Amino acid sequence: ESPRGDSAFEGIGLDGDGTTHYKKILSESPNEWFGMEKYGSGTMTISYNPSSSSVAGSSISGRDGGVSKWRTLADGSVKVTNHVVFPYEEEPVVIATDVSADFGSFTYRTPNHRLLTSYEVTVMVLYTPLAMCHAAGLQPPCPDIPANRNPIEDQIRLAVQETNAAFQTSEVDGRIKLVFTTLVEYVETDNPLATILSDLSGTNDGFMDHIHAKRDFYGAD
């Protein structure tokens, strides 16, 4: 079932010990869904890809903070990672800062109907053949075909959706917008992070140099 309509996925239960009811509180498109337990603090986020009939999602238990994630693999099966438990968060520390940025501005209403002026950061996400194969549940190398690209692109869309849902429920004054995703021919194995970042940011070093024109073309921040 795809996440369409206000009642979509209400009544779904993932724990096997009874049905948990969720109420939709955020949906940026007919194929995105975010809900919170009607009688608890758990949440569920779902992203549906109609072109491939694939889905990616995550849920956080309101009882113990356990996290489950799932995604459709290249063969059509669904991989579920169950119950990763994060430690409870400390109380936030408020730091007074003066931050300014040249981001696009827009307005939206929070769940309690309070109007906010927010800032939008546009994002371009690149992924490598190794990452594509891993997300698709395949051993590298694997062919660059839509069935193999869909799982990681589903995860990317889900990550953006989870971020914006967290921003809105926390009343954070901002959001991110995915403007482009693409495969890049790059081998990251055994490279330290500093090397990968250098290869990514360099404009004339022979590594992913073409992505800078794409960033400008799609208007990614």
Side-chain angles (χ1 to χ4, degrees):
E1 183 181 2
S2 62
R4 295 189 173 98
D6 289 340
S7 61
F9 287 98
E10 286 196 3
I12 194 168
L14 299 180
D15 299 327
D17 58 356
T19 300
T20 301
H21 293 272
Y22 291 85
K23 179 181 179 182
K24 187 174 78 169
I25 61 175
L26 172 68
S27 181
E28 294 209 347
S29 82
N31 302 314
E32 296 180 355
W33 191 92
F34 174 73
M36 182 169 286
E37 288 178 351
K38 288 183 176 179
Y39 307 107
S41 58
T43 61
M44 183 182 294
T45 309
I46 298 171
S47 177
Y48 173 71
N49 184 351
S51 65
S52 60
S53 297
S54 55
V55 67
S58 63
S59 64
I60 302 176
S61 169
R63 294 189 299 276
D64 60 6
V67 176
S68 296
K69 285 184 173 286
W70 60 93
R71 69 178 184 274
T72 304
L73 301 180
D75 62 3
S77 63
V78 177
K79 179 177 181 179
V80 180
T81 304
N82 280 319
H83 213 66
V84 178
V85 179
F86 292 105
Y88 286 100
E89 295 183 356
E90 299 290 339
E91 288 298 315
V93 177
V94 178
I95 302 175
T97 58
D98 181 12
V99 179
S100 60
D102 184 19
F103 299 143
S105 178
F106 70 101
T107 60
Y108 67 94
R109 289 186 181 271
T110 64
N112 60 2
H113 306 294
R114 184 162 64 91
L115 275 173
L116 293 178
T117 298
S118 190
Y119 295 93
E120 183 177 85
V121 179
T122 51
V123 178
M124 178 176 72
V125 179
L126 315 173
Y127 56 89
T128 65
L130 183 63
M132 177 184 68
C133 297
H134 176 76
L138 301 172
Q139 289 293 326
C142 63
D144 177 20
I145 57 177
N148 294 343
R149 285 193 177 206
N150 287 331
I152 192 166
E153 293 189 0
D154 289 346
Q155 286 186 272
I156 292 168
R157 285 189 291 269
L158 176 66
V160 171
Q161 186 183 346
E162 288 175 324
T163 300
N164 287 331
F167 284 170
Q168 180 162 343
T169 54
S170 302
E171 297 194 2
V172 172
D173 192 18
R175 71 191 292 275
I176 62 175
K177 178 182 179 181
L178 182 65
V179 294
F180 187 61
T181 63
T182 190
L183 175 74
V184 291
E185 293 297 333
Y186 181 77
V187 180
E188 68 271 41
T189 307
D190 298 328
N191 283 346
L193 180 58
T195 299
I196 296 173
L197 291 176
S198 175
D199 292 342
L200 178 64
S201 60
T203 59
N204 193 28
D205 57 8
F207 296 104
M208 301 178 283
D209 294 337
H210 66 289
I211 65 160
H212 303 283
K214 289 186 179 294
R215 175 187 177 182
D216 292 339
F217 179 81
Y218 288 100
D221 291 316

